[in-house]
Amino acid sequence: MPLAIAMNSPGGPETMQLVDLPVTEPGPGQARIRQSISGVNFVDIYIRSGLYPRPPGQTILGFEGAGIVDAIGPDVEGLKVGDRVAYVGHPLGSYAEMRTLPASRLIKLPDGVNERLAGSSMLRGLTAQMLLHKVHPVQPGEWILVHAAAGGVGQIVTRWAKRLGANVIATVGSEAKAEFAYEAGADTVLLHTSEDWVEETRRIADRRGVHFAIDGIGGAMLSQTLAAVRPFGMVASLGQPAGPIPPIEIEELTAPRAIALSRPSVLVYANDPDLYRQGAEILMTELQAGLINPIGAEYTLKDAAIAHADLEAGRTTASVVLTM
């Protein structure tokens, strides 16, 4: 029987257990895939820990993966057994060797994009596409601030923003991680633990601040990030590995700042069929054209708990994946 990682109650990594998974036949509009890779993301940790509610009846974690179509149900068009596919979004269940899910969720992989690249890029890549094309359509010459730039989302956003002609100021939590941000193409890398990073960011960005700031840290960082943005700029708040975000008073966004604050969700984005297909198509085109999304840490499926512990503790950079 195929194996999967299941959890029955919120808690630490120890709540995740290796289980046998019954093979289900695909129903109308469904396809079954034999997976080769699954992404591991902070949203998985949020659900495992109980910070985000777990959908009723779903015990297997994971929102993204890739593999080969193993069987298709009735009323499925555009797919056949043997197709290479990737996906991101609901329902949960990518921590598994095999799974059945809506065929509409599956994206056929073009030539030049393998399962390993696609399965580790769907969530982060669609997040980058959403941020740089939908939340704030980036223009050449603009200044972009990317927090946690050594991480999976930070690296792909930095690489993509540079391909769009933006200037990228990256922040990292340690000197050791700065090289990863520079390798991704950042023009300047600052330590977000330093006392003067906000002032230095504003100085570098024409002494006015950045046009767009992406905060994937959370906690008390968001309030500081607001101060690094120029008037009529935009801040996108993504996740909160540093802890809950204190309330933001509306006055913090008004004069003299006059900035916008967004809390975008890639899973909500992926639930819109049109946005999902359009975003995935753009992502695949970029991956074909050479957009790099390096894998920083790789674990076998049975070691998913170790992967969670390492990601949660900040011991990883770039993408984190499980292999089947």
Side-chain angles (χ1 to χ4, degrees), residues 5-67:
I5 295 292
M7 55 166 288
N8 294 316
S9 61
E14 70 280 357
T15 64
M16 303 161 63
Q17 298 181 345
L18 192 66
V19 299
D20 290 325
L21 185 69
V23 177
T24 59
E25 293 300 321
Q30 293 184 326
R32 188 177 68 215
I33 65 171
R34 187 175 297 277
Q35 299 204 127
S36 57
I37 195 166
S38 169
V40 178
N41 299 284
F42 267 104
V43 66
D44 305 337
I45 292 172
Y46 299 153
I47 292 174
R48 187 214 72 218
S49 66
L51 180 64
Y52 289 0
R54 185 181 63 185
Q58 297 183 28
T59 61
I60 300 173
L61 292 171
F63 282 108
E64 72 171 341

Side-chain angles (χ1 to χ4, degrees), residues 227-317:
V229 180
R230 67 180 60 194
F232 301 102
M234 165 70 78
V235 176
S237 171
L238 300 173
Q240 50 202 62
I245 299 171
I248 298 292
E249 299 290 338
I250 193 67
E251 287 76 15
E252 294 186 59
L253 308 178
T254 54
R257 289 178 175 173
I259 58 177
L261 173 62
S262 175
R263 180 74 170 179
S265 165
V266 69
L267 295 178
V268 173
Y269 194 68
N271 273 346
D272 183 297
D274 292 334
L275 291 176
Y276 180 52
R277 287 286 164 181
Q278 293 167 10
E281 182 178 339
I282 293 171
L283 172 61
M284 291 301 156
T285 298
E286 289 294 324
L287 293 176
Q288 279 186 299
L291 176 64
I292 298 172
N293 182 37
I295 293 175
E298 182 175 321
Y299 306 80
T300 61
L301 180 64
K302 67 181 179 61
D303 290 329
I306 299 175
H308 270 229
D310 288 348
L311 179 59
E312 204 166 6
R315 291 190 288 266
T316 65
T317 59

Side-chain angles (χ1 to χ4, degrees), residues 128-209:
Q129 189 275 330
M130 173 187 70
L131 290 168
L132 302 176
H133 290 265
K134 185 70 172 178
V135 176
H136 178 84
V138 172
Q139 302 301 311
E142 286 190 329
W143 287 96
I144 311 297
L145 171 66
V146 181
H147 283 313
V153 171
Q155 285 203 36
I156 196 167
V157 167
T158 297
R159 293 176 190 275
W160 201 330
K162 291 302 298 179
R163 293 169 71 89
L164 292 172
N167 304 301
V168 177
I169 300 173
T171 77
V172 295
S174 67
E175 294 285 358
K177 291 185 175 182
E179 63 179 288
F180 296 101
Y182 276 123
E183 186 177 347
D187 297 282
T188 302
V189 181
L190 305 174
L191 291 179
H192 57 66
T193 54
S194 67
E195 294 184 357
D196 64 346
W197 76 263
V198 172
E199 292 77 10
E200 185 65 6
T201 297
R202 294 186 64 85
R203 185 192 67 78
I204 294 170
D206 306 327
R207 300 188 181 277
R208 298 184 62 203

